Amino acid sequence: MEERSDMREKLVFLETFGCQMNDSDSERMLGILKGINFARTDDPGSADLILLNTCTVRDKAEQKVYSTLGRYKELKKARPGLIIGVGGCVAQQQGEKLLKRAPHLDIVFGPHNVHRLRELLLEADSGQRVVATRLTETIDADEYGVTGSSSGEKAFVSIMRGCNNFCSYCIVPYVRGREISRPSSEIIKEIKGLVSRGVKEVTLIGQNVNSYGRGLHEGIGFPTLLREVNGIEGLRRIRFMTSHPKDILDPLISSFGELEKLCEHLHLPVQSGSNSVLKRMNRSYTREAYLSRVQALRDLSPGISLTSDIIVGFPGESDEDFDATMDLIEKVRYDAIFSFKFSPRLETKAADMPDQVDEGLKDKRLLILQERQREISLEKNIEYEGRVVEVLVEGGSEKNHERLSGKTRSFKTVKFDGNEELVGELVQVRIVKGYVNSLIGEMIEKG
Ligand code: SAM
Ligand code: SF4
């Protein structure tokens, strides 16, 4: 078998669906591929390898994967040497069935098998069709730490994998396995490596980062990990996601007042404002407990921006339940929300619950929720007008290289005029106009 590192540079086309865990897994894939002489292309037609990193959290996301995969059938026919792989949560859930469904597919690999990509490619090169969907209870030594291909200003760092919460609507625990944390020494080493390559901002990711450390022998919790990361020289900003409201305890809340690198933004998915729905969702908190956590956060960090995930049309959701969600968004006044119609997922409890909500009613509720949230987001963004904020510059607009965009510490997108050389820098920007999804500003100074 010929090793890819001995061959001419090859091209990979990689498409990522779904959440930040998948973004991070895709970075690991690109890191591994870079090591065996692959470069990234944005043209599937010229690729030697096509990878789809998939999401199965909602049916819509899953269907998108199938239609995308269908599009590559002709490419494979024209070039039989092309290798096509499907990774991520659909791969984990469907396994062998995916190979049957798509005869042009070569590799199916789940989230616990990303680090085996090189070996899987060699098998596919030799003409085998490969399925790698084993779920492991321990983290393999070489599973993490291959940090991406990009040399950007920010990076995701997985601090744990899996989830033990079994929210009744959610497929994640089935496709990503049980919760397990990485040792803090490995996380710190990875972040130091990233910083030495120019990364200024890291986002620590996991399905429920607040429970980081459970099961580790080192007796460390998430607030302590945050403090250690905060001490890394050269790192400028820290973010994390996702936090489960049931685990957002005082020491974590205090971190927002104490750690200067921790950005003033928290994604704290509430899912519903109704206690009876929360109970059936198995979320283990009440709206009152949630609101008191929000109050505690705002007492300590008044300007903190809050975002959330909300599901409408959960089985049995009555008009009163939905009104309770609408009331909750008035009380919290989120900066932004991600809102979804409940989508029944195989194996989950909620899929079989009685009183499934009619699709039309779900649509109606989603619209009402999103319209009101747009107004709140706009009001909150208008409050920024006149303020001077720190922006980490992420890139220029494709059409206009003098039009830059970046993020505030509070996770707002800011657009302003400036030289493309500022990409990757922290700059001070005065906000002149707030829109629903972004702010427009003018740069004052660098640094
Ligand atoms: N671990 C995170 C948490 O606990 O909030 C998020 C994980 S999930 C990938 C992201 C979001 O998808 C969830 O917060 C939820 O709002 C939404 N989601 C999950 N399952 C869903 C389903 N069956 N139907 C609709 N939305 C769903
Ligand atoms: Fe899914 Fe709940 Fe786990 Fe989040 S905490 S991944 S919503 S089961």
Side-chain angles (χ1 to χ4, degrees):
M1 168 71 44
E2 210 174 355
E3 280 284 331
R4 284 185 174 268
S5 51
D6 300 332
M7 295 150 66
R8 69 166 174 91
E9 186 176 76
K10 293 209 165 193
L11 296 174
V12 54
F13 173 80
L14 168 66
E15 196 167 355
T16 308
F17 301 83
C19 66
Q20 69 283 356
M21 301 304 290
N22 271 8
D23 286 333
S24 160
D25 289 348
S26 285
E27 274 293 297
R28 283 195 290 143
M29 290 177 203
L30 290 171
I32 293 166
L33 290 170
K34 193 177 173 193
I36 49 173
N37 221 7
F38 271 95
R40 196 170 186 178
T41 172
D42 50 14
D43 169 24
S46 64
D48 302 282
L49 170 66
I50 293 180
L51 290 178
L52 303 183
N53 192 5
T54 62
C55 171
T56 182
V57 163
R58 285 167 293 278
D59 187 55
K60 210 167 148 187
E62 187 172 334
Q63 294 312 322
K64 208 166 158 192
V65 171
Y66 297 132
S67 57
T68 309
L69 191 54
R71 284 209 300 272
Y72 301 134
K73 212 171 170 173
E74 292 306 313
L75 285 181
K76 178 83 175 185
K77 237 190 233 165
R79 283 191 301 125
L82 168 69
I83 291 181
I84 303 182
V86 172
C89 297
V90 175
Q92 184 62 39
Q93 204 209 21
Q94 296 291 320
E96 191 88 37
K97 278 188 256 166
L98 255 184
L99 286 189
K100 292 210 177 87
R101 185 176 179 148
H104 57 299
L105 186 57
D106 302 286
I107 308 173
V108 175
F109 62 115
H112 288 195
N113 296 272
V114 169
H115 61 300
R116 297 178 56 215
L117 184 57
R118 176 193 177 126
E119 159 198 340
L120 303 176
L121 272 175
L122 287 172
E123 287 175 33
D125 258 348
S126 70
Q128 298 176 55
R129 299 183 80 204
V130 198
V131 178
T133 50
R134 77 187 170 132
L135 283 180
T136 54
E137 285 184 5
T138 50
I139 294 181
D140 289 350
D142 57 348
E143 198 161 330
Y144 292 96
V146 184
T147 42
S149 50
S150 62
S151 50
E153 65 290 336
K154 54 182 200 166
F156 288 120
V157 176
S158 292
I159 61 167
M160 59 208 297
R161 65 163 211 213
C163 181
N164 290 349
N165 286 318
F166 288 94
C167 300
S168 64
Y169 50 83
C170 186
I171 202 165
V172 168
Y174 302 91
V175 289
R176 287 193 174 261
R178 294 294 68 73
E179 179 183 293
I180 178 164
S181 298
R182 293 175 66 198
S184 63
S185 54
E186 284 182 17
I187 296 168
I188 300 295
K189 189 172 152 208
E190 181 174 334
I191 299 175
K192 283 183 175 164
L194 287 165
V195 170
S196 73
R197 283 172 25 207
V199 165
K200 294 196 169 68
E201 175 183 305
V202 289
T203 305
L204 310 178
I205 58 169
Q207 296 298 348
N208 179 16
V209 291
N210 323 45
S211 62
Y212 172 80
R214 247 178 244 168
L216 278 182
H217 295 303
E218 43 179 312
I220 185 175
F222 188 53
T224 312
L225 178 72
L226 275 179
R227 211 170 312 129
E228 286 188 16
V229 176
N230 193 64
I232 295 176
E233 216 173 302
L235 182 68
R236 301 294 293 273
R237 288 175 165 192
I238 306 168
R239 302 185 187 280
F240 59 85
M241 79 190 298
T242 300
S243 301
H244 195 300
K246 76 177 164 61
D247 293 319
I248 181 134
L249 308 176
D250 287 341
L252 180 58
I253 290 182
S254 312
S255 306
F256 282 99
E258 288 165 9
L259 306 178
E260 75 285 0
K261 294 177 187 171
L262 185 59
C263 292
E264 295 78 17
H265 166 233
L266 183 65
H267 185 64
L268 195 60
V270 69
Q271 312 298 356
S272 168
S274 152
N275 280 337
S276 78
V277 172
L278 286 172
K279 191 149 195 255
R280 278 177 290 120
M281 285 178 162
N282 193 29
R283 287 292 285 180
S284 316
Y285 55 84
T286 59
R287 65 179 268 134
E288 293 76 20
Y290 183 93
L291 287 170
S292 96
R293 296 286 78 193
V294 167
Q295 192 53 52
L297 272 161
R298 289 209 162 124
D299 286 346
L300 205 79
S301 180
I304 194 164
S305 96
L306 289 173
T307 53
S308 194
D309 294 345
I310 294 181
I311 297 176
V312 298
F314 186 79
E317 186 189 65
S318 63
D319 286 343
E320 291 72 34
D321 292 325
F322 178 64
D323 289 347
T325 298
M326 292 302 292
D327 180 67
L328 184 128
I329 70 160
E330 296 300 336
K331 290 208 161 62
V332 178
R333 290 180 61 78
Y334 291 110
D335 290 79
I337 60 168
F338 297 94
S339 47
F340 314 104
K341 292 192 288 175
F342 168 70
S343 169
R345 307 312 289 138
L346 213 66
E347 294 187 82
T348 63
K349 277 197 178 151
D352 295 324
M353 282 183 182
D355 303 322
Q356 296 283 327
V357 175
D358 172 76
E359 280 304 309
L361 188 55
K362 285 185 198 169
D363 285 331
K364 202 170 131 199
R365 287 180 180 163
L366 190 67
L367 204 71
I368 294 171
L369 175 66
Q370 290 179 338
E371 272 182 6
R372 180 59 193 132
Q373 181 57 46
R374 280 173 70 83
E375 291 168 2
I376 297 173
S377 296
L378 178 62
E379 286 159 18
K380 299 214 76 153
N381 285 350
I382 286 174
E383 285 170 20
Y384 272 74
E385 290 175 7
R387 284 191 208 165
V388 174
V389 290
E390 179 197 91
V391 175
L392 178 58
V393 186
E394 290 171 8
S397 136
E398 266 185 22
K399 282 187 210 135
N400 177 357
H401 292 265
E402 299 293 295
R403 190 73 171 157
L404 302 178
S405 109
K407 287 267 189 304
T408 64
R409 283 174 62 103
S410 58
F411 207 59
K412 305 272 179 190
T413 300
V414 182
K415 295 175 181 162
F416 59 100
D417 290 337
N419 193 305
E420 226 181 357
E421 282 171 11
L422 289 170
V423 172
E425 301 287 339
L426 287 159
V427 298
Q428 298 292 321
V429 176
R430 177 176 290 111
I431 303 304
V432 292
K433 187 102 186 115
Y435 291 99
V436 175
N437 295 319
S438 63
L439 307 169
I440 303 297
E442 48 196 24
M443 196 177 88
I444 300 177
E445 64 184 74
K446 195 174 145 179

